[in-house]
Amino acid sequence: ASLVITDLFFSGSIVASALNFARNLVQGFIANQINQFLCNFIEELDTFVTNTLGTVQDLLDPYLNVTAMNNSDTLAAENNLMMDSTVSLVNFREPQGALATAIDTILTQGSDYLSTTHKDANAPPNKNGVDLGINIVLRDFFLDSNKSLFLNASSFSSFLNGSLFEYNL
């Protein structure tokens, strides 16, 4: 995957004017820097997720009968799960009880809304005022008035240390 910057504009000073003059060079440079950052971030995220899953497996191993998992029975892990008698699991295939039924209802209604069409005044012109629920949610909660996703680098200060990219000459 790669990032493509389609438009870039600098404002505020003579340096900004110079950067606008060399916009194509700057766009490529910025896109490369962001691509490098994203690749590094994804690698770090992959390492974190892998380590977290390893930790979860270490926490669950004492409750699983490992020898039963080595056979061809696909439900061996489920059938051999050993847990504390105070724990109550939710069966989403056959919900029973108020909590399970409420969760099932919320998930079903959410899925139904996101996957069906609804009237929408902000729908694209070719949609004739109707769009999928998922598109409506994305437009209403994540995109700006230009239907663009705007990410403020300062929002990611814990990951980025206050800068989107850094380059030393």
Side-chain angles (χ1 to χ4, degrees), residues 143-155:
L143 304 181
D144 66 11
S145 60
N146 295 322
K147 295 185 174 83
S148 298
L149 178 63
F150 178 77
L151 300 174
N152 187 341
S154 64
S155 300

Side-chain angles (χ1 to χ4, degrees), residues 1-156:
S2 65
L3 176 75
V4 177
I5 298 176
T6 58
D7 190 27
L8 185 65
F9 182 77
F10 298 95
S11 62
S13 68
I14 193 159
V15 173
S17 298
L19 288 172
N20 282 324
F21 183 73
R23 185 178 313 168
N24 290 336
L25 295 173
V26 174
Q27 275 181 231
F29 172 76
I30 291 174
N32 286 337
Q33 294 298 312
I34 293 173
N35 277 329
Q36 288 175 7
F37 167 78
L38 290 176
C39 285
N40 291 338
F41 179 75
I42 290 170
E43 286 176 7
E44 290 176 15
L45 183 63
D46 180 58
T47 301
F48 171 76
V49 169
T50 300
N51 292 340
T52 302
L53 290 175
T55 302
V56 169
Q57 181 177 358
D58 292 344
L59 292 171
L60 291 177
D61 278 346
Y63 300 98
L64 299 175
N65 182 344
V66 178
T67 56
M69 291 177 58
N70 293 330
N71 66 28
S72 60
D73 180 8
T74 57
L75 295 176
E78 181 180 338
N79 292 332
N80 292 299
L81 180 65
M82 296 178 291
M83 56 186 186
D84 190 316
S85 62
T86 62
V87 174
S88 175
L89 299 178
V90 176
N91 181 351
F92 289 106
R93 291 180 189 249
E94 299 169 10
Q96 297 173 351
L99 177 62
T101 305
I103 291 172
D104 182 60
T105 301
I106 290 168
L107 292 175
T108 301
Q109 288 182 356
S111 176
D112 290 347
Y113 178 82
L114 295 175
S115 63
T116 56
T117 56
H118 306 276
K119 289 183 180 180
D120 180 27
N122 296 320
N126 63 337
K127 299 284 186 172
N128 299 322
V130 175
D131 207 352
L132 283 174
I134 184 67
N135 294 335
I136 295 169
V137 169
L138 289 173
R139 247 191 325 275
D140 290 350
F141 295 100
F142 296 100
L143 304 181
D144 66 11
S145 60
N146 295 322
K147 295 185 174 83
S148 298
L149 178 63
F150 178 77
L151 300 174
N152 187 341
S154 64
S155 300
F156 301 101

